[in-house]
Amino acid sequence: MNWLDDFMVRAALAGLGVALAAAPLGCFVVWRRMAYFGDATAHAAILGVALALGFNLSIFVGVLAVALTMAVVVSGLSDRGHAMDTLLGVMAHSALAIGLVAVSVLGGVRIDLMSYLFGDILAVGRGDLVVIWGGAGLVLALLWWRWSALLTATLGSDLAYAAGIDPKREQMVLTVALALVIAVAIKVVGALLISSLLIIPAAAARHFAATPERMAMLAMGIGGLSALGGLAVAYRYDTPTGPTIVCVAAAIFATSSVAGLLRGARS
């Protein structure tokens, strides 16, 4: 029997693929305090699902197009001094609500909406694995290529300009990478939980990383452990897999936070 015929093997590979792509990108989300940015883009993914179903397109293409559009719009508005917390709240929840309504009124289309809200990793097929690992590979390659420039731009726009780096270009690189991660992750953890895999592993790694590179590597390890651990717990106790993965990540974050506090107290 081909080992990919086992649905648990496919689920484990899918979780690892998403975790490895999301974790290093999540470091930049944490460093730049862009959690709101990730939430707004992820919530818009449901609208991408609706458009893909309505126009008979690939779900990946629909979600990627809408996520990228939302990310570009949010990034552009953030440079114009708008009240971003209010504006992002309006855009994120409006896109989510419009997507939910659009999915509900699509004629002749049967869809498990919960799988797109909270993920359905156990239903991942071979084609999904190709998309997930292909997207993850693109994200990792993009971050590897622009790593130094992204770090410099993250430290400050003045420093970036002094080094001959355009911070707006680097922001666009992060925007594209974020849209790619959301497009490949929606099948695994769903639109409502994608931001968790971006933020929690990076936040957990922060307590034990002396360099940005080490933080990214630790975040990837924590993300992979969360995916595999959450999958095992969900299988053992018959709980929803996507939320369980996030719960395991949250438990690791809580443990790392306590360990970091204890280490700080001793020093």
Side-chain angles (χ1 to χ4, degrees), residues 112-235:
D112 180 9
L113 190 56
M114 295 295 288
S115 68
Y116 290 104
L117 290 174
F118 299 105
D120 190 10
I121 190 174
L122 298 181
V124 167
R126 298 187 183 202
D128 295 318
L129 285 179
V130 172
V131 171
I132 289 170
W133 279 93
L138 286 175
V139 170
L140 291 174
L142 193 61
L143 292 179
W144 178 273
W145 174 45
R146 303 303 303 170
W147 182 262
S148 179
L150 285 169
L151 280 178
T152 304
T154 299
L155 291 173
S157 56
D158 291 339
L159 180 61
Y161 282 123
I165 297 169
D166 184 356
K168 293 183 178 179
R169 181 185 60 200
E170 304 312 316
Q171 175 69 27
M172 185 56 62
V173 170
L174 286 179
T175 297
V176 172
L178 183 62
L180 274 171
V181 166
I182 289 170
V184 301
I186 192 169
K187 186 77 172 181
V188 175
V189 291
L192 298 184
L193 300 176
I194 291 172
S195 293
S196 303
L197 281 188
L198 284 167
I199 298 168
I200 297 178
R206 196 173 193 174
H207 299 287
F208 303 100
T211 65
E213 291 78 13
R214 184 173 298 177
M215 179 171 165
M217 295 299 294
L218 282 174
M220 292 172 72
I222 292 171
L225 181 61
S226 300
L228 296 180
L231 188 62
V233 171
Y235 182 78

Side-chain angles (χ1 to χ4, degrees), residues 2 8-9 12 14-15 23 37 63 86 110 123 126 146 157 170 199 203 219 241 243 255 258 266:
N2 192 312
M8 287 297 290
V9 172
F37 189 92
V63 171
T86 302
R110 296 181 62 86
R126 298 187 183 202
R146 303 303 303 170
S157 56
E170 304 312 316
I199 298 168
T241 311
T255 302
V258 172
R266 285 196 300 268

